[in-house]
Amino acid sequence: MTDPSVTLPLERASVESAHKAIKEHIHCTPVVTSRTLNELASTPRSSAVLVGNGREGKIPAHPQIRLFFKCENYQKIGAFKSRGAFHALSRLSREELSNGVAEKQGNHAQALALAARTHGVKAYIVMPTISTPSKIAATKGYGAEVIFSGSTSQEREAVVEDVIKRTGAILVPPYDHPDIILGQGTMALELEKQVQELVKGDPSLNVHGNSKDTTSPPAINGASENGSFPGRKPRAGQLDAVIAPLGGGGMLAGIGTRVFGAEPSFEGADDGRRGLETNERITTVKTLTIADGLRTPLGEINWTVINDKCKVRGVYAVTEEQILSAMKLVLERMKLFVEPSAVVGLAVCLYDEGFRKMVEEEAGKEGWDIGVILSGGNTTLEALSKMFATENKHAERAEAKVGQNGERTAENIAG
């Protein structure tokens, strides 16, 4: 990959440049709204659900929220990862690409395979046997050569190193590189423009009505002069915030300003939230959360962005049950096919009392317009049926919890 020291700076102009470079290869995914979910997000939760979470006896939060969903489940390969993969390859020379590209695991593997095929380049993808069958099949379907490894990070790294030594392929990481970060940030540019167009056509979609204030700064990939958040008064059609899933951090770092991160809390998957509390990046995550695309620690470069309060406002975590509840709403009410990782941001808006109270206090009676990134839809009907089966709350092989030989290993597997 391009030496990070000579890559484009992580700023709005670079994201705009990245978008120009990849827009012919990606979908401009739709932005949709839901009156039902707006009403749910704007309704106080019952006092009973506050018992046992530190807020017992307090008045439930009553924020006013309008949600704008960026549907990256409709992106090529079914997830936002295509943006970063296509941008990374666009920054490499033909000579650098001559021996192919290599990487390991998850949605990024599929995205890299597709980008490589589009550029006429060979792709070598190392995947642990615990990967879902659907992702393995999809990666092969994009023309990649799939090489299997064990489930531990050490086993996967060893196989990747062997592939690179044998083929001369160049490693394209899934999230911890400026070219990947800038590519992922392109979704925010689209979201910003799409929300403005939606609200222009129907002002009732946003909490700010027909406000004509044009003095406020961009909500995405651009901060006010001092980078501060409090006191900012958005105009109609301008988002107050964006909330996105947080795994390795490439997407969150790419969006960059007035953004919140969302993680699962199961088995320590909330490394971003915990790291911010201690001001130290957590380097290892071992979890079997159903949000399998988020089973990875924050990258080093992404940590420097996410640990900047002028860019990322905070990170919140939700339970497995809350993820399933949010997913059910998206499937049944919005008729959108999404994976568990995609709905953690919505789950925070609906169920995290700390986040909801913060919105209520900062927004007052007017409320907030919030962009919600639905990051992908790479799951299967088999997995969904097991997730929601009353007699089996947790899927097994279809959720990437059991390997091909029946082994059960919790390990970092980036989405």
Side-chain angles (χ1 to χ4, degrees):
M1 283 290 291
T2 306
D3 183 347
S5 65
V6 297
T7 56
L8 297 172
L10 297 179
E11 60 187 27
R12 186 183 180 93
S14 299
V15 178
E16 291 172 342
S17 177
H19 195 243
K20 291 178 182 178
I22 68 173
K23 63 181 180 180
E24 67 176 303
H25 300 303
I26 62 170
H27 295 316
C28 180
T29 53
V31 171
V32 301
T33 61
S34 169
R35 180 173 296 181
T36 298
L37 267 61
N38 287 342
E39 291 175 353
L40 289 173
S42 301
T43 301
R45 304 174 71 207
S46 70
S47 298
V49 302
L50 304 184
V51 176
N53 65 5
R55 295 184 176 275
E56 186 173 354
K58 297 184 178 180
I59 299 174
H62 191 181
Q64 294 301 308
I65 294 175
R66 297 293 181 271
L67 302 168
F68 295 83
F69 296 90
K70 179 65 169 168
C71 298
E72 286 294 287
N73 53 310
Y74 289 133
Q75 188 54 262
K76 289 185 177 180
I77 73 94
F80 74 99
K81 294 283 189 176
S82 293
R83 297 175 181 272
F86 271 106
H87 185 241
L89 265 60
S90 76
R91 299 275 297 161
L92 295 170
S93 67
R94 296 306 302 178
E95 181 180 356
E96 290 173 310
L97 292 170
S98 60
N99 292 322
V101 293
E103 215 339 70
K104 55 190 183 297
Q105 70 213 22
N107 288 334
H108 176 65
Q110 297 179 58
L112 185 61
L114 174 61
R117 186 179 71 179
T118 302
H119 285 275
V121 175
K122 178 73 173 180
Y124 303 92
I125 306 299
V126 175
M127 302 186 76
T129 59
I130 202 173
S131 301
T132 59
S134 60
K135 290 184 179 180
I136 295 171
T139 304
K140 289 181 177 180
Y142 292 125
E145 180 179 330
V146 174
I147 304 98
F148 290 106
S149 72
S151 296
T152 69
S153 57
Q154 292 86 354
E155 288 172 315
R156 296 197 306 276
E157 292 294 343
V159 175
V160 170
E161 289 180 10
D162 179 69
V163 169
I164 292 173
K165 184 183 298 184
R166 173 170 56 85
T167 65
I170 189 168
L171 182 68
V172 180
Y175 49 81
D176 202 22
H177 191 281
D179 290 340
I180 298 291
I181 296 169
L182 293 172
Q184 315 302 29
T186 60
M187 75 180 76
L189 295 179
E190 295 174 1
L191 173 61
E192 183 179 54
K193 182 178 180 180
Q194 289 169 301
V195 170
Q196 291 172 354
E197 292 174 347
L198 283 171
V199 172
K200 183 178 180 180
D202 183 358
S204 69
L205 292 175
N206 84 135
V207 298
H208 304 297
N210 290 301
S211 169
K212 301 299 182 182
D213 178 15
T214 59
T215 61
S216 52
I220 301 170
N221 285 311
S224 56
E225 290 184 4
N226 63 4
S228 63
F229 291 96
R232 176 182 174 277
K233 182 177 176 58
R235 60 180 180 269
Q238 184 178 87
L239 292 172
D240 295 274
V242 176
I243 189 164
L246 176 59
M251 173 167 45
L252 212 63
I255 295 172
T257 302
R258 288 195 68 80
V259 63
F260 294 86
E263 299 176 300
S265 60
F266 186 67
E267 294 181 341
D270 56 340
D271 61 293
R273 182 186 65 81
R274 292 183 291 117
L276 289 176
E277 288 181 349
T278 61
N279 198 34
E280 184 175 353
R281 184 175 74 95
I282 295 172
T283 59
T284 301
V285 175
K286 292 187 177 183
T287 175
L288 288 176
T289 173
I290 57 171
D292 65 312
L294 307 180
R295 297 177 188 173
T296 185
L298 268 168
E300 292 184 32
I301 297 174
N302 301 326
W303 167 256
T304 64
V305 177
I306 290 162
N307 197 32
D308 184 346
K309 285 287 188 181
C310 292
K311 295 178 180 177
V312 176
R313 188 62 195 281
V315 176
Y316 294 82
V318 288
T319 67
E320 302 291 273
E321 291 74 19
Q322 289 168 339
I323 293 172
L324 284 174
S325 179
M327 190 175 180
K328 187 175 182 180
L329 286 169
V330 173
L331 291 168
E332 295 182 349
R333 301 298 183 92
M334 299 182 69
K335 317 304 179 187
L336 295 176
F337 193 83
V338 292
E339 61 188 86
S341 302
V343 301
V344 289
L346 172 61
V348 168
C349 293
L350 294 175
Y351 309 123
D352 189 284
E353 199 65 13
F355 178 84
R356 291 168 57 79
K357 191 66 175 177
M358 180 271 299
V359 174
E360 179 186 20
E361 291 176 348
E362 293 198 11
K365 294 181 179 180
E366 186 173 40
W368 269 11
D369 292 326
I370 301 176
V372 180
I373 307 297
L374 297 178
S375 55
N378 285 324
T379 187
T380 64
L381 290 175
E382 178 188 14
L384 291 178
S385 65
K386 290 184 177 180
M387 288 179 203
F388 292 106
T390 56
E391 71 276 8
N392 182 12
K393 290 290 186 182
H394 301 288
E396 296 288 318
R397 172 69 180 136
E399 289 180 27
K401 290 189 177 181
V402 178
Q404 289 183 331
N405 298 317
E407 70 277 12
R408 187 186 301 268
T409 307
E411 187 54 57
N412 304 336
I413 301 177

